[in-house]
Amino acid sequence: MNYSQFLNMIPEATLMAILIIVFIADFASSRSQERRWFNPLVCLLLLVQTVVSAVPQEPTSAFGGMYVTTAAVNVMKAILAGGTLIVTIQARKWLSRPDTSFKEGEFYMLVISTLLGMNMMMSAGHFLMFFLGLEMASVPMACLVALDKYRHNSAEGAAKFILTAMFSSGVMLFGISFIYGAAGTLYFDDVALALAQKQHLTMSVMGLVFFFSGLGFKISLVPFHFWTADAYQGAPTTVTGYLSVISKGAAAFTLMAILMKVFAPLTEYWTYVLYILVALTITVGNLFAIRQKDLKRFMAFSSISQAGYIMLAAIGDSAMGVAALSYYVLVYVVANMAVFAVIGVVEENNGGVTDMDAYDGLYTTNPKLSLLMTFALFSLAGIPPFAGMFSKFFVFMAAAHEGSPLTYVVVFIALVNTVVSLYYYLLIVKAMYIKKSDAPLPTFKSDGNTKLALALCTAGILLFGVCSCFYDWIAAAA
């Protein structure tokens, strides 16, 4: 075996090194003493990981083509590593509680393990490598959802998550077996060549359907979304934020890459399915979000709708679509993590309650927090001049670039749903600024880590849309 191949997968090698360092640091330090250095150490390592992933790298492969990376993949790895860094910064306050402090090392190792799995999944050039990466990300994620194991909702959410993950993995493996039967290989490039000959069309289409369905569970596309709200509500708020943006972005990017690279000969089949699923996902997510009273369930259905917008970029089937999807995930990471940072700090100061009523009159007692929450919600809704408006614009442009009348119908449905999403995001703004409460939350100060996370997210919300260099960086890679 040629071990120099590991030099072709530098982001994964550095993640493995970080995982080992965190494990040794957790094992060697005393759990009884206060470890104030632990969180800054992990944040510093993840910052290094973000920089390493963002460094331009020539397209390379390893292990006989099972691992393949490109500039676009490295950009997405850098975005996800940056999002994980924000999650880790936010987690310090929660991990300092007496009931969670002894699990701090396990939390960091599980998060890094899921990020490693996502990187392997995005760089896969073989279906087995893809599946291994997917499971490397999914199994630790179930442990993260169940981290507050003594809370009933956390155990229930983890059970539903792992059961649906098992079911979706089985469905996906069933589809991969059909693909192998039709193509005689599992290498992406070879499968594409075999599918282009259209010799086993029925078996190929069946494989595509089952594979698409299995990955649809991971992204929470309708009708594969039923697990999402319970898992998001039961998981710790920090984990919910991680689940809603990082894993969803990795799965969406991987699905788009496989559709474009492997199933390009079957474009006339999966394009129409994608039209229907995108329209249903955006619409159903928005309509169900309006009915929610718990803010974590509210954000769960919001994330389902956002998944539809993310996959809208795949309709274009072009480099423009890849750039639009990556940019959308970048903006979505900072906006969504800002919302969950506010949810976490309000939950911490409200006895663990995440009901929307807790935000009534929040502006009167905590105006700065309310303002940052408003910025994040406006970005998610796509209101100018925030970055969310530009991300939605690029996604619509990438989809409309396909040029068929049906594409314009789907884009129009997405535009109408943008107005609907603005309505339910404004419900929170109304609660903070207009609704009165007899007993509003008292004035409180956030800890330093929460302030830093909110500052980073707010800077992203305000700058990513105004400074074109971020989109240019992503577009050049795509």
Side-chain angles (χ1 to χ4, degrees):
M1 179 178 176
N2 184 8
Y3 291 99
S4 64
Q5 295 181 95
F6 287 105
L7 297 177
N8 294 334
M9 42 195 306
I10 294 177
E12 289 75 20
T14 53
L15 267 180
M16 276 301 305
I18 290 172
L19 188 61
I20 294 171
I21 292 171
V22 172
F23 175 77
I24 294 174
D26 182 49
F27 182 76
S29 60
S30 172
R31 292 180 178 272
S32 60
Q33 65 184 11
E34 188 176 1
R35 298 182 294 181
R36 295 183 178 180
W37 54 267
F38 203 5
N39 183 270
L41 171 65
V42 178
C43 292
L44 178 62
L45 292 173
L46 285 174
L47 178 61
V48 172
Q49 174 66 27
T50 304
V51 174
V52 168
S53 301
V55 172
Q57 183 181 353
E58 293 295 324
T60 57
S61 63
F63 305 107
M66 295 188 74
Y67 175 92
V68 179
T69 188
T70 63
V73 173
N74 286 334
V75 165
M76 182 56 69
K77 289 178 182 178
I79 293 171
L80 298 183
T84 306
L85 171 61
I86 295 175
V87 171
T88 308
I89 294 172
Q90 289 183 10
R92 185 174 189 179
K93 177 66 174 178
W94 167 62
L95 291 172
S96 63
R97 291 181 352 203
D99 60 327
T100 55
S101 59
F102 65 95
K103 296 181 283 190
E104 185 176 9
E106 287 85 344
F107 173 80
Y108 296 142
M109 285 186 281
L110 289 171
V111 166
I112 296 168
S113 298
T114 58
L115 185 60
L116 177 61
M118 293 171 200
N119 281 10
M120 297 298 294
M121 179 176 66
M122 291 187 294
S123 290
H126 189 279
F127 274 107
L128 286 184
M129 178 67 79
F130 158 78
F131 185 76
L132 288 174
L134 183 66
E135 292 306 298
M136 284 175 62
S138 298
V139 175
M141 187 65 74
C143 300
L144 285 172
V145 175
L147 207 60
D148 280 348
K149 61 182 180 180
Y150 297 112
R151 289 179 58 229
H152 171 71
N153 287 341
S154 183
E156 179 186 352
K160 291 181 178 179
F161 180 86
I162 195 65
L163 287 174
T164 53
M166 290 169 54
F167 178 73
S168 62
S169 297
V171 170
M172 188 182 300
L173 279 177
F174 194 49
I176 292 174
S177 68
F178 273 105
I179 295 168
Y180 182 74
T185 179
L186 289 177
Y187 282 96
F188 287 172
D189 294 338
D190 296 338
V191 170
L193 291 174
L195 295 182
Q197 299 175 8
K198 305 288 182 70
Q199 290 183 353
H200 304 283
L201 186 59
T202 303
M203 190 176 293
S204 302
V205 172
M206 289 293 292
L208 168 62
V209 170
F210 283 115
F211 176 82
F212 194 101
S213 300
L215 206 49
F217 276 100
K218 310 295 183 182
I219 310 175
S220 303
L221 296 177
V222 173
F224 315 111
H225 67 288
F226 294 103
W227 62 273
T228 311
D230 292 327
Y232 280 31
Q233 184 182 19
T237 301
T238 303
V239 175
T240 305
Y242 184 75
L243 184 63
S244 67
V245 291
I246 310 301
S247 64
K248 192 181 297 293
F253 183 88
T254 305
L255 177 58
M256 181 180 188
I258 292 178
L259 288 177
M260 292 174 61
K261 290 194 296 185
V262 182
F263 295 111
L266 303 178
T267 302
E268 65 271 20
Y269 295 96
W270 61 259
T271 300
Y272 294 106
V273 175
L274 196 58
Y275 288 156
I276 297 170
L277 291 185
V278 165
L280 283 176
T281 301
I282 296 174
T283 305
V284 171
N286 281 341
L287 294 179
F288 276 83
I290 295 174
R291 303 175 60 233
Q292 304 306 313
K293 297 301 181 184
D294 184 276
L295 204 55
K296 289 171 75 172
R297 294 184 70 88
F298 172 93
M299 292 305 297
F301 285 103
S302 166
S303 74
I304 292 172
S305 175
Q306 297 289 347
Y309 284 108
I310 292 173
M311 290 311 301
L312 188 63
I315 291 177
D317 192 21
S318 62
M320 184 187 296
V322 175
L325 186 146
S326 302
Y327 182 72
Y328 197 102
V329 171
L330 172 65
V331 174
Y332 182 51
V333 164
V334 292
N336 221 45
M337 289 312 303
V339 172
F340 277 105
V342 176
I343 292 175
V345 73
V346 171
E347 180 184 15
E348 188 76 25
N349 291 274
N350 196 35
V353 177
T354 56
D355 290 341
M356 201 177 296
D357 294 338
Y359 294 79
D360 291 351
L362 184 66
Y363 178 75
T364 59
T365 56
N366 296 275
K368 294 180 181 178
L369 207 61
S370 302
L371 182 63
L372 297 182
M373 182 73 153
T374 304
F375 285 170
L377 293 172
F378 281 178
S379 182
L380 289 174
I383 296 179
F386 302 104
M389 188 276 288
F390 297 95
S391 64
K392 279 188 167 59
F393 173 77
F394 289 127
V395 164
F396 292 153
M397 287 293 294
H401 186 261
E402 202 270 337
S404 68
L406 194 55
T407 305
Y408 295 134
V409 173
V410 177
V411 171
F412 178 75
I413 293 172
L415 282 169
V416 172
N417 274 280
T418 302
V419 180
V420 179
S421 68
L422 175 59
Y423 167 74
Y424 65 74
Y425 287 130
L426 284 176
L427 291 177
I428 305 175
V429 179
K430 176 185 176 183
M432 293 189 297
Y433 287 88
I434 299 176
K435 275 190 174 183
K436 303 298 181 183
S437 175
D438 296 332
L441 281 177
T443 302
F444 55 82
K445 289 188 176 181
S446 305
D447 62 287
N449 277 49
T450 302
K451 290 179 179 178
L452 176 59
L454 283 171
L456 292 174
C457 293
T458 305
I461 292 169
L462 297 176
L463 296 179
F464 286 163
V466 177
C467 300
S468 61
C469 58
F470 297 102
Y471 182 79
D472 292 341
W473 168 56
I474 294 172

Coordinates of all heavy atoms in Angstrom, one line a residue, residues 309 312-313 320-325 327-328 331 387-401 464-465 467-468 470-472 475:
Y309 N -35.1 24.9 -1.2 CA -34.4 26.0 -1.9 C -33.0 25.5 -2.3 O -32.5 25.9 -3.4 CB -34.3 27.2 -1.0 CG -35.6 28.0 -1.0 CD1 -36.4 28.0 0.2 CD2 -36.1 28.7 -2.1 CE1 -37.6 28.7 0.3 CE2 -37.3 29.4 -2.0 CZ -38.0 29.4 -0.8 OH -39.2 30.1 -0.8
L312 N -33.1 23.4 -5.2 CA -33.5 24.1 -6.4 C -32.3 24.3 -7.3 O -32.4 24.4 -8.6 CB -34.2 25.4 -6.0 CG -34.9 26.2 -7.1 CD1 -36.0 25.4 -7.7 CD2 -35.4 27.5 -6.5
A313 N -31.1 24.5 -6.7 CA -29.9 24.8 -7.5 C -29.6 23.6 -8.4 O -28.9 23.8 -9.4 CB -28.8 25.2 -6.6
M320 N -23.0 26.7 -12.6 CA -23.7 27.8 -11.9 C -24.6 27.2 -10.8 O -24.7 27.9 -9.7 CB -24.7 28.5 -12.9 CG -25.4 29.7 -12.3 SD -26.6 30.4 -13.4 CE -25.6 31.0 -14.8
G321 N -25.1 26.1 -11.0 CA -25.9 25.4 -9.9 C -25.0 25.0 -8.8 O -25.4 25.2 -7.6
V322 N -23.8 24.5 -9.0 CA -22.9 24.1 -8.0 C -22.5 25.4 -7.2 O -22.5 25.3 -5.9 CB -21.6 23.5 -8.6 CG1 -20.6 23.2 -7.5 CG2 -22.0 22.2 -9.3
A323 N -22.2 26.5 -7.8 CA -21.8 27.7 -7.1 C -23.0 28.2 -6.3 O -22.8 28.7 -5.2 CB -21.3 28.7 -8.2
A324 N -24.2 28.2 -6.9 CA -25.3 28.7 -6.2 C -25.6 27.9 -4.9 O -26.0 28.4 -3.9 CB -26.6 28.7 -7.1
L325 N -25.5 26.6 -5.1 CA -25.8 25.7 -3.9 C -24.8 25.9 -2.8 O -25.1 26.1 -1.6 CB -25.8 24.2 -4.3 CG -26.2 23.2 -3.3 CD1 -26.9 22.0 -3.9 CD2 -25.0 22.7 -2.5
Y327 N -22.9 28.6 -2.3 CA -23.1 29.9 -1.7 C -24.3 30.0 -0.8 O -24.3 30.6 0.3 CB -23.2 31.0 -2.8 CG -23.4 32.4 -2.3 CD1 -22.3 33.1 -1.8 CD2 -24.6 33.0 -2.4 CE1 -22.4 34.4 -1.4 CE2 -24.7 34.4 -2.0 CZ -23.7 35.0 -1.5 OH -23.8 36.3 -1.0
Y328 N -25.4 29.3 -1.2 CA -26.6 29.2 -0.3 C -26.3 28.6 1.0 O -26.7 29.0 2.1 CB -27.7 28.5 -1.1 CG -29.1 28.7 -0.5 CD1 -30.0 29.5 -1.1 CD2 -29.5 28.1 0.7 CE1 -31.3 29.8 -0.6 CE2 -30.7 28.3 1.2 CZ -31.6 29.1 0.6 OH -32.9 29.4 1.1
V331 N -24.3 31.0 3.3 CA -25.2 32.0 3.9 C -26.1 31.4 4.9 O -26.4 32.0 6.0 CB -26.0 32.8 2.8 CG1 -27.0 33.8 3.4 CG2 -25.0 33.5 1.9
A387 N -27.6 38.9 3.3 CA -27.0 37.9 2.4 C -28.0 36.9 1.8 O -27.9 36.4 0.8 CB -25.9 37.2 3.1
G388 N -29.1 36.6 2.6 CA -30.1 35.6 2.2 C -30.8 36.0 0.9 O -31.1 35.1 0.1
M389 N -30.9 37.3 0.6 CA -31.5 37.7 -0.6 C -30.7 37.3 -1.8 O -31.2 36.8 -2.8 CB -31.8 39.2 -0.6 CG -32.6 39.8 -1.8 SD -31.6 40.1 -3.3 CE -30.7 41.6 -2.8
F390 N -29.4 37.5 -1.7 CA -28.5 37.2 -2.8 C -28.4 35.7 -3.0 O -28.3 35.2 -4.1 CB -27.1 37.8 -2.5 CG -27.1 39.3 -2.4 CD1 -27.2 39.9 -1.2 CD2 -27.0 40.0 -3.6 CE1 -27.2 41.3 -1.1 CE2 -27.0 41.4 -3.5 CZ -27.1 42.1 -2.2
S391 N -28.4 34.9 -1.9 CA -28.3 33.4 -2.0 C -29.5 32.9 -2.8 O -29.4 32.0 -3.6 CB -28.1 32.8 -0.7 OG -29.2 33.0 0.2
K392 N -30.7 33.4 -2.4 CA -31.9 33.0 -3.1 C -31.9 33.4 -4.6 O -32.3 32.7 -5.5 CB -33.2 33.5 -2.4 CG -33.6 32.8 -1.2 CD -34.9 33.2 -0.6 CE -35.5 32.3 0.4 NZ -34.6 32.0 1.6
F393 N -31.4 34.6 -4.8 CA -31.3 35.1 -6.2 C -30.5 34.2 -7.1 O -30.9 33.8 -8.2 CB -30.8 36.6 -6.2 CG -30.5 37.1 -7.6 CD1 -31.5 37.5 -8.4 CD2 -29.2 37.2 -8.1 CE1 -31.3 38.0 -9.6 CE2 -28.9 37.7 -9.3 CZ -30.0 38.1 -10.1
F394 N -29.3 33.8 -6.6 CA -28.4 33.0 -7.3 C -29.0 31.6 -7.5 O -28.8 31.0 -8.6 CB -27.1 32.9 -6.7 CG -26.2 34.1 -6.7 CD1 -25.7 34.7 -5.6 CD2 -26.0 34.7 -7.9 CE1 -25.0 35.9 -5.7 CE2 -25.3 35.9 -8.0 CZ -24.7 36.5 -6.9
V395 N -29.7 31.1 -6.5 CA -30.4 29.8 -6.7 C -31.5 29.9 -7.8 O -31.6 29.0 -8.6 CB -31.0 29.3 -5.3 CG1 -32.0 28.2 -5.6 CG2 -29.9 28.8 -4.4
F396 N -32.3 30.9 -7.7 CA -33.3 31.1 -8.8 C -32.7 31.2 -10.2 O -33.2 30.7 -11.1 CB -34.2 32.3 -8.5 CG -35.0 32.2 -7.2 CD1 -35.4 33.3 -6.5 CD2 -35.4 30.9 -6.8 CE1 -36.2 33.2 -5.3 CE2 -36.2 30.8 -5.6 CZ -36.6 31.9 -4.9
M397 N -31.6 32.0 -10.3 CA -30.9 32.1 -11.5 C -30.4 30.8 -12.1 O -30.5 30.5 -13.3 CB -29.8 33.2 -11.4 CG -30.3 34.6 -11.3 SD -31.1 35.2 -12.8 CE -29.7 35.2 -13.9
A398 N -29.8 30.0 -11.2 CA -29.3 28.7 -11.6 C -30.4 27.8 -12.1 O -30.2 27.1 -13.1 CB -28.5 28.1 -10.4
A399 N -31.5 27.8 -11.4 CA -32.6 26.9 -11.8 C -33.2 27.4 -13.1 O -33.5 26.6 -14.0 CB -33.7 26.9 -10.7
A400 N -33.4 28.7 -13.2 CA -34.0 29.3 -14.5 C -33.1 29.1 -15.7 O -33.6 29.1 -16.8 CB -34.4 30.8 -14.3
H401 N -31.8 28.9 -15.4 CA -30.8 28.8 -16.5 C -31.1 27.5 -17.3 O -30.7 27.4 -18.5 CB -29.4 28.7 -15.9 CG -28.3 28.7 -17.0 ND1 -27.7 27.5 -17.4 CD2 -27.8 29.7 -17.7 CE1 -26.8 27.8 -18.3 NE2 -26.8 29.1 -18.5
F464 N -21.5 38.8 3.5 CA -21.5 37.8 2.4 C -22.2 38.3 1.1 O -21.9 37.9 0.0 CB -22.0 36.5 2.9 CG -21.1 35.7 3.8 CD1 -21.6 34.7 4.6 CD2 -19.8 36.1 3.9 CE1 -20.7 34.0 5.4 CE2 -18.9 35.4 4.7 CZ -19.4 34.4 5.5
G465 N -23.3 39.1 1.3 CA -24.1 39.5 0.2 C -23.4 40.8 -0.5 O -23.5 41.0 -1.7
C467 N -20.1 41.9 -0.2 CA -18.7 41.6 -0.7 C -18.8 40.5 -1.7 O -19.0 39.3 -1.4 CB -17.8 41.3 0.4 SG -17.6 42.6 1.6
S468 N -18.6 40.8 -3.0 CA -18.7 39.8 -4.0 C -17.6 38.8 -4.0 O -17.7 37.8 -4.7 CB -18.8 40.5 -5.4 OG -17.6 41.2 -5.6
F470 N -16.7 36.6 -1.9 CA -17.1 35.3 -1.4 C -17.7 34.5 -2.5 O -17.4 33.3 -2.7 CB -18.0 35.5 -0.2 CG -17.4 36.1 1.0 CD1 -17.7 37.5 1.2 CD2 -16.5 35.5 1.8 CE1 -17.1 38.1 2.3 CE2 -16.0 36.1 2.9 CZ -16.3 37.4 3.1
Y471 N -18.7 35.1 -3.2 CA -19.3 34.3 -4.4 C -18.3 34.1 -5.5 O -18.3 33.0 -6.1 CB -20.5 35.1 -4.9 CG -21.2 34.4 -6.0 CD1 -22.1 33.3 -5.7 CD2 -21.0 34.7 -7.3 CE1 -22.7 32.6 -6.7 CE2 -21.6 34.0 -8.3 CZ -22.5 33.0 -8.0 OH -23.1 32.2 -9.0
D472 N -17.4 35.0 -5.7 CA -16.4 34.8 -6.8 C -15.5 33.7 -6.4 O -15.1 32.9 -7.3 CB -15.6 36.1 -6.9 CG -16.4 37.3 -7.5 OD1 -17.4 37.0 -8.1 OD2 -16.0 38.4 -7.3
A475 N -17.6 30.6 -7.1 CA -17.8 30.4 -8.5 C -16.6 30.0 -9.3 O -16.7 29.1 -10.2 CB -18.4 31.7 -9.1

